[in-house]
């Protein structure tokens, strides 16, 4: 079973999906294959992850009907600009080998070149109008940048994908999203970023989360995923291991109490693990997205 969320344009999206950031291309087909076999129907990739082709391969080979799988990808900042972004869609669609994408996001705002970010978003609006994508959105947008986007474009983003785990919850962004009717989707939802960059305080070892997990006979990861789902967020945990991919999906048979959710909410430190959106520049760290 899974849980669906209705986006602000009526499109239904699975709340829980598999993320594939830092999943090497050669590991991606197996990870996505394992996820689809487990029951996942949402895959979150990005042009910048370099594995769209393998995501597409796995979906095609899985035997699962294309219409049942919700494919989400992101335009990288070096492809921002109206015409460049339209072309970037063609690159991603060709690599994924699909005619239509379910959700297309701008990967990062570029605050120092926001006119170009706006032009990129206008290209997403055109792709939506043309039926090439079913929904459009953004990632790593702050309340201020969301407001500016709203002032200068027509379509309310369906999704804002942001860093969100028990130690960093961005309540201001969540409020801004909710006011717009934009779904907040959590990246690093189980706090991967608190551990894989040599972090000394991983969410997986948090005593409060482990206590709650023990009370339910569940794991820390499962508790964190429930914490998102019960608060109406989408979450896209990443793993390359079939056992963890299955573990992260076995979350539909228990409920956290209000007190347990509040206890996890109270763990926030306000310390971001990822890049500050304000520091992203138009050269996008020199990453150029290859043609299909
Ligand atoms: P996650 O919170 O999903 O954590 C992933 C890490 O945790 C990996 O190191 C994984 O290792 C490990 N892990 C997975 N499941 C378990 C488990 N059950 N128990 C213990 N460890 C586990 O972090 P990510 O940063 O990967 O975020 C998830 C997704 O969000 C990305 O894949 C991507 O799709 C998206 N994202 C988007 C960003 C953006 O800017 N828009 C930025 C970062 C991520 P292993 O694979 O070895 O199991």
């Amino acid at each position: 079973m899974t849980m669906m969320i209705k986006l602000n344009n009526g499109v239904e999206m699975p709340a829980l999906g598999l993320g594939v950031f830092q999943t090497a291309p050669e590991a991606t087909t197996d990870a996505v294959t394992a996820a689809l076999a487990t029951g996942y129907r949402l895959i979150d990739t990005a042009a910048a992850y370099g594995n769209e082709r393998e995501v597409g391969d796995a979906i095609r080979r899985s035997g699962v009907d294309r219409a049942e799988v919700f494919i989400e990808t992101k335009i990288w900042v070096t492809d921002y600009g109206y015409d460049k972004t339209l072309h970037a869609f063609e690159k991603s669609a060709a690599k994924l080998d699909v005619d239509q994408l379910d959700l297309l996001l701008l990967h990062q705002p570029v605050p120092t070149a926001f006119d170009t970010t706006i032009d990129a978003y206008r290209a997403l609006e055109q792709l939506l109008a043309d039926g090439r994508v079913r929904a459009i959105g953004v990632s790593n947008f702050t309340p201020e940048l969301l407001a500016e986007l709203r002032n200068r474009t027509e379509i309310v983003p369906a999704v804002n994908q942001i860093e969100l785990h028990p130690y960093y919850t961005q309540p201001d962004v969540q409020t801004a999203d909710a006011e717009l009717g934009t779904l907040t989707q959590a990246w690093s939802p189980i706090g991967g970023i608190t551990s894989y960059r040599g972090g000394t305080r991983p969410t997986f070892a948090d005593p409060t989360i482990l206590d709650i997990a023990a009370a339910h006979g569940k794991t820390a990861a499962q508790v964190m995923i429930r914490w998102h789902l019960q608060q109406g967020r989408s979450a896209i945990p990443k793993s390359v291991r079939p056992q963890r991919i299955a573990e992260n999906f076995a979350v539909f048979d228990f409920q956290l109490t209000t007190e347990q959710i509040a206890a996890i909410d109270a763990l926030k430190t306000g310390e971001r693990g990822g890049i500050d959106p304000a520091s992203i520049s138009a050269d996008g760290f020199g990453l150029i997205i290859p043609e299909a």
Side-chain angles (χ1 to χ4, degrees), residues 31-81:
V32 174
T33 301
L36 293 171
T38 301
Y40 288 74
R41 292 294 180 266
L42 163 64
I43 310 294
D44 176 72
T45 182
Y49 301 167
N51 55 19
E52 288 174 312
R53 210 178 293 282
E54 290 74 16
V55 168
D57 280 349
I59 293 171
R60 222 175 21 261
R61 287 189 211 159
S62 69
V64 178
D65 195 6
R66 163 70 189 96
E68 277 185 39
V69 184
F70 195 99
I71 306 177
E72 175 176 357
T73 193
K74 314 181 193 83
I75 307 279
W76 186 241
V77 301
T78 46
D79 277 332
Y80 284 6

Side-chain angles (χ1 to χ4, degrees), residues 38-218:
T38 301
Y40 288 74
R41 292 294 180 266
L42 163 64
I43 310 294
D44 176 72
T45 182
Y49 301 167
N51 55 19
E52 288 174 312
R53 210 178 293 282
E54 290 74 16
V55 168
D57 280 349
I59 293 171
R60 222 175 21 261
R61 287 189 211 159
S62 69
V64 178
D65 195 6
R66 163 70 189 96
E68 277 185 39
V69 184
F70 195 99
I71 306 177
E72 175 176 357
T73 193
K74 314 181 193 83
I75 307 279
W76 186 241
V77 301
T78 46
D79 277 332
Y80 284 6
Y82 188 79
D83 291 332
K84 281 174 90 174
T85 300
L86 290 179
H87 181 64
F89 162 81
E90 299 295 347
K91 289 195 276 189
S92 286
K95 288 174 192 169
L96 286 156
D97 195 16
V98 295
D99 295 327
Q100 187 191 47
L101 284 167
D102 297 288
L103 177 61
L104 185 58
L105 307 181
L106 298 186
H107 203 141
Q108 300 274 0
V110 183
T112 52
F114 205 63
D115 286 351
T116 320
T117 306
I118 294 286
D119 289 343
Y121 193 80
R122 290 193 179 122
L124 300 196
E125 291 181 321
Q126 189 60 50
L127 291 163
L128 184 69
D130 293 344
R132 306 301 308 278
V133 298
R134 297 172 66 222
I136 61 173
V138 296
S139 178
N140 299 306
F141 268 52
T142 60
E144 297 71 29
L145 293 173
L146 278 173
E148 189 172 346
L149 183 78
R150 282 303 299 130
N151 284 337
R152 298 177 60 186
T153 61
E154 298 295 322
I155 308 285
V156 179
V159 166
N160 186 15
Q161 184 184 113
I162 58 168
E163 180 181 347
L164 211 173
H165 47 76
Y167 293 167
Y168 191 62
T169 58
Q170 311 212 54
D172 57 333
V173 183
Q174 292 198 60
T175 301
D177 286 347
E179 284 171 3
L180 288 176
T182 297
L183 174 70
T184 300
Q185 184 174 55
W187 69 250
S188 251
I190 52 179
I193 197 142
T194 64
S195 67
Y196 58 56
R197 291 212 176 128
T200 50
R201 205 177 147 238
T203 48
F204 300 111
D206 186 274
T208 301
I209 298 173
L210 287 172
D211 278 354
I212 295 170
H216 289 283
K218 289 286 182 178

